[in-house]
Amino acid sequence: MRLEIPRELVKALNEAEKVAVLTGAGVSAESGVPTFRGKEGLWRRYSPQELATPEAFARDPQLVWEWYNWRRGLIAPLEPNPAHRFIARLEKEVPWFLLITQNIDGLHQKAGSVRMVELHGNIWKVRCTKEGTVKEDRRVPLPEIPPRCENCGALLRPHVVWFGEPLPVDALEGAMEAAENCDLFLVVGTSGVVYPAAALPQVARSHGALVVEIDPEETPLTSLATWSLQGKAGEVTRELARELGWEL
Ligand code: BJW
């Protein structure tokens, strides 16, 4: 069954001058990246406390790295889907744009997104636990687990944000500013339970932006959305693109 796209939404997308987009794991689900929560989510099989906290890494860096090495292997061959491509196209269509992603998979960049911030880091980067230096490392699998800094020999860690850690200041400031100043805020595929990212749609709304949500499930953000499009991101954005006359 074809999803009904409200006419007013198509008009709003055509007329928007400042657009911000917040994405979560759901935008990459149709590419094959597992989400965190929900029936098939990673947190059903793996404990965030044992794998995604600084305490877990201090306790057992080998275990944490094995998990990230496995996920790097899973993500490496995957390709962007129509939702990533729709967002990359939207960036080209509006005068002012920022993509705010919670995802670490790099699929937005692969789809051509440029004006973006990564709130939770990037799985293809490693950081020295002693020097704080960040380096890209796309080797799959990594030859040594846990990997060590070539320069000082200290442990490297994934350059991602774990629970209890602060988000990168520049990325968060950019995201806040975008939420405060945009006229349309699009939210795609996030359960809206992890803060501070989950506060951004509320910030946008309270500053007068139209909020559009795309997600197959109802989330805590649904009630504040001007339009909530219930469906898979790839399918809904394909429909939106058709309405807007865009080739994806
Ligand atoms: C589809 C789809 C399809 C499916 N199409 N959609 C109590 C209250 C408030 C806050 C806190 C609290 N207790 C603790 C906190 C803070 C904590 C937090 O928010 N916890 C909550 C869980 C309660 N936050 C933090 O700790 C953050 N840091 C912080 O607050 O720092 C403060 C500080 C300041 C100064 C000094 C020190 C500290 C950090 C959060 C880091 C999150 N990290 C992770 C892991 C990243 C690395 C990795 O990947 O390994 O980030 S956890 C995980 O959750 C990941 C995600 O980015 C994040 C959000 O998940 P997301 O993207 O929403 O995915 P899902 O799976 O939850 O949802 C998927 C959605 O897609 C669903 O809605 C589906 O329906 C949908 N979907 N298929 C479209 N085809």
Side-chain angles (χ1 to χ4, degrees), residues 49-192:
Q49 283 77 27
E50 279 170 36
L51 295 165
T53 63
E55 293 77 20
F57 187 70
R59 199 164 49 236
D60 197 343
Q62 177 82 27
L63 175 74
V64 171
W65 261 118
E66 276 167 11
W67 192 61
Y68 278 93
N69 207 26
W70 167 71
R71 287 175 64 204
R72 285 162 62 103
L74 194 92
I75 295 167
L78 302 181
E79 292 298 330
N81 66 57
H84 297 105
R85 291 198 291 276
F86 177 86
I87 293 163
R89 173 74 189 255
L90 190 55
E91 173 179 334
K92 296 203 172 80
E93 296 289 334
V94 288
W96 191 96
F97 180 91
L98 188 70
L99 166 60
I100 305 156
T101 189
Q102 299 170 81
N103 297 346
I104 61 168
D105 55 34
L107 288 178
H108 282 301
Q109 292 91 328
K110 225 173 173 177
S113 285
V114 177
R115 283 182 268 163
M116 63 176 291
V117 292
E118 293 179 311
L119 290 183
H120 295 161
N122 188 302
I123 200 165
W124 302 111
K125 292 179 182 167
V126 294
R127 185 163 89 235
C128 175
T129 53
K130 191 168 165 206
E131 300 171 337
T133 44
V134 176
K135 237 182 68 178
E136 188 172 280
D137 188 338
R138 291 189 167 262
R139 290 173 298 172
V140 172
L142 285 163
E144 182 196 13
I145 293 287
R148 294 199 165 266
C149 176
E150 278 173 3
N151 197 38
C152 72
L155 272 179
L156 292 173
R157 58 162 284 176
H159 185 51
V160 299
V161 181
W162 287 321
F163 285 114
E165 293 187 315
L167 276 63
V169 175
D170 288 355
L172 186 56
E173 278 178 6
M176 261 315 168
E177 209 180 297
E180 285 170 3
N181 292 306
C182 66
D183 40 53
L184 191 143
F185 193 92
L186 173 63
V187 188
V188 188
T190 179
S191 57

